[in-house]
Amino acid sequence: MRVAVVGAGVIGLTSAFALKENNPELQVTIFSDIFSPNTTGDGSAGLWGPFLLGDTSKEDILKWAGKTHRLFEQFWKSGLSKEIGLSLLPTTRVTSEINNDLSWLQLVYGVHHLTTDELTKLNKEHKANYVNGWNFVTYTCEPTYFLPWLTNKFVALGGELKRRKIRDLGELIEEGYEIVINCSGLGARELVNDDTMTAVRGQVSKVKAPWVMHCILVDDDHCNYIIPNINNVVLGGTHQVNDYDLRVRDEDSKFIYEGCHRMIPSLKKAEIIKSWVGLRPGRPKVRLESEIYIRKNGKKCHVIHNYGHGGAGLTLSWGCALDVVEIVQNLNRNKNQISKL
């Protein structure tokens, strides 16, 4: 069976790799005009944690994020951290808003709900008004390491890569692909005419600050965050809906630096490596479902949509990929049963 995967970000790569790993007999090809290190994911810090997921159900988030977290745990225990850019990171997550759903905290390590006294002390240090906060430990898996690793593993299993922009899924049907996995992210707006897709602009700066070894996240509408990576520290950030501007903007840089310097004053002395802007694939909820795609000439194939992961592509990637594998296996099973009748 020939399977095409559209998109080479973390969602496309994990879907393709999981398919080949679990079904070696499948002929799987990834189509994309952009590969690592030029994907949106390559600019992110790679922190595990649900973010900007709209109305995606709590149950789905827990299932998909949980499977990804367990994969990272397996990688950590098996000594793969260096190859895939995996780190265990102490994290403080605070908020000035009362009704944030953080049920996913059950998945991380060593959760401690900050006491009133601890919040008071932190508010004084950060010149803030946090009403809630948690300390815990979780993973960063840096896409600049992880995406090339996934690509190499996929190719080693016999997968194919084709640098090509797909403008119509019908192209792949005409070429004989029986299943198409649509992992086109923000591109789904044009590829499948999904007008619920919208860009969520994110601007960050990367600095040299090896003395910073603790992640701080402010989980508010206007939030700053400090996420240590292996060779730099990522300072953020913005999440500006329906903003397609890829220029680094001075006003956003000012917001990032002032907010992060307020939390860790020593960052004022950090050397700025670069600033970067990416467009997250925003959607009211993640779309993971299959449908039958029929051309005007009657040709058809199964399309599995796997896109709209907001700011949590890495976090949900492996869980969503395993759902894709299950859907493909069910389709294959049904096809084999029909052929025996």
Side-chain angles (χ1 to χ4, degrees):
M1 179 180 288
R2 298 178 71 203
V3 180
V5 178
V6 181
V10 69
I11 298 298
L13 283 171
T14 49
S15 296
F17 172 60
L19 278 171
K20 279 299 291 182
E21 186 179 47
N22 288 279
N23 306 275
E25 75 285 359
L26 294 178
Q27 298 178 46
V28 184
T29 304
I30 297 175
F31 291 87
S32 181
D33 59 332
I34 298 173
F35 288 87
S36 182
N38 299 312
T39 72
T40 298
D42 282 288
S44 74
L47 179 70
W48 182 98
F51 184 53
L52 299 177
L53 287 170
D55 295 325
T56 303
S57 74
K58 180 171 67 176
E59 292 74 21
D60 281 340
I61 291 172
L62 286 172
K63 178 177 73 166
W64 295 329
K67 288 179 179 179
T68 306
H69 199 272
R70 286 190 288 276
L71 176 73
F72 290 163
E73 183 176 73
Q74 291 170 21
F75 284 156
W76 180 266
K77 290 179 177 179
S78 61
L80 281 171
S81 298
K82 180 180 179 180
E83 289 88 338
I84 67 171
L86 189 70
S87 302
L88 262 177
L89 192 65
T91 301
T92 297
R93 192 173 191 119
V94 289
T95 179
S96 304
E97 300 168 1
I98 297 174
N99 296 319
N100 286 15
D101 175 31
L102 294 176
S103 56
W104 53 265
L105 282 173
Q106 64 189 270
L107 300 171
V108 299
Y109 308 122
V111 178
H112 166 67
H113 193 180
L114 296 183
T115 65
T116 301
D117 287 345
E118 288 168 331
L119 276 173
T120 299
K121 181 181 177 183
L122 205 56
N123 279 325
K124 185 176 180 181
E125 291 176 0
H126 292 184
K127 300 178 178 63
N129 294 294
Y130 308 136
V131 297
N132 238 331
W134 297 262
N135 287 335
F136 55 90
V137 177
T138 190
Y139 295 100
T140 52
C141 186
E142 298 178 37
T144 51
Y145 291 83
F146 190 42
L147 298 188
W149 183 88
L150 284 168
T151 302
N152 292 336
K153 289 293 182 182
F154 171 70
V155 171
L157 290 171
E160 276 192 273
L161 306 174
K162 291 192 177 181
R163 189 177 294 275
R164 173 177 148 199
K165 185 174 180 63
I166 302 299
R167 301 183 184 280
D168 186 332
L169 296 182
E171 300 171 31
L172 300 171
I173 299 172
E174 294 294 339
E175 294 172 22
Y177 288 94
E178 298 165 81
I179 296 177
V180 175
I181 318 296
N182 173 22
C183 305
S184 57
L186 189 58
R189 185 175 179 86
E190 295 180 359
L191 183 62
V192 293
N193 298 314
D194 187 345
D195 59 9
T196 69
M197 288 296 298
T198 186
V200 182
R201 181 181 178 274
Q203 180 172 320
V204 300
S205 287
K206 297 187 177 184
V207 302
K208 276 190 178 180
W211 60 89
V212 177
M213 302 177 188
H214 186 104
C215 172
I216 302 175
L217 302 166
V218 183
D219 190 12
D220 291 345
D221 275 345
H222 300 285
C223 64
N224 289 109
Y225 51 82
I226 299 166
I227 305 174
N229 275 181
I230 294 169
N231 297 313
N232 54 61
V233 177
V234 180
L235 309 182
T238 67
H239 54 278
Q240 295 144 332
V241 178
N242 203 30
D243 188 335
Y244 291 79
D245 184 5
L246 287 170
R247 296 174 301 121
V248 173
R249 299 198 295 234
D250 290 343
E251 63 267 30
D252 291 326
S253 296
K254 184 173 185 288
F255 168 76
I256 289 168
Y257 295 135
E258 287 183 352
C260 293
H261 294 169
R262 189 168 58 249
M263 292 188 285
I264 301 182
S266 63
L267 284 170
K268 291 179 182 179
K269 299 183 181 297
E271 176 190 343
I272 299 171
I273 301 171
K274 72 172 183 177
S275 295
W276 175 87
V277 175
L279 304 179
R280 306 178 184 96
R283 196 171 187 274
K285 62 183 295 187
V286 173
R287 186 182 187 191
L288 207 174
E289 61 183 358
S290 65
E291 65 176 353
I292 296 176
Y293 191 99
I294 304 175
R295 297 282 283 168
K296 289 180 180 178
N297 60 9
K299 284 191 176 182
K300 63 182 181 180
C301 81
H302 290 278
V303 174
I304 301 169
H305 299 287
N306 184 17
Y307 66 84
H309 297 78
L314 179 89
T315 301
L316 305 184
S317 60
W318 191 245
C320 289
L322 293 180
D323 272 16
V324 168
V325 170
E326 183 179 355
I327 293 170
V328 170
Q329 289 175 340
N330 287 337
L331 291 173
N332 204 11
R333 193 178 300 117
N334 292 338
K335 177 184 174 183
N336 291 337
Q337 288 173 350
I338 291 171
S339 66
K340 293 176 183 178
L341 294 178

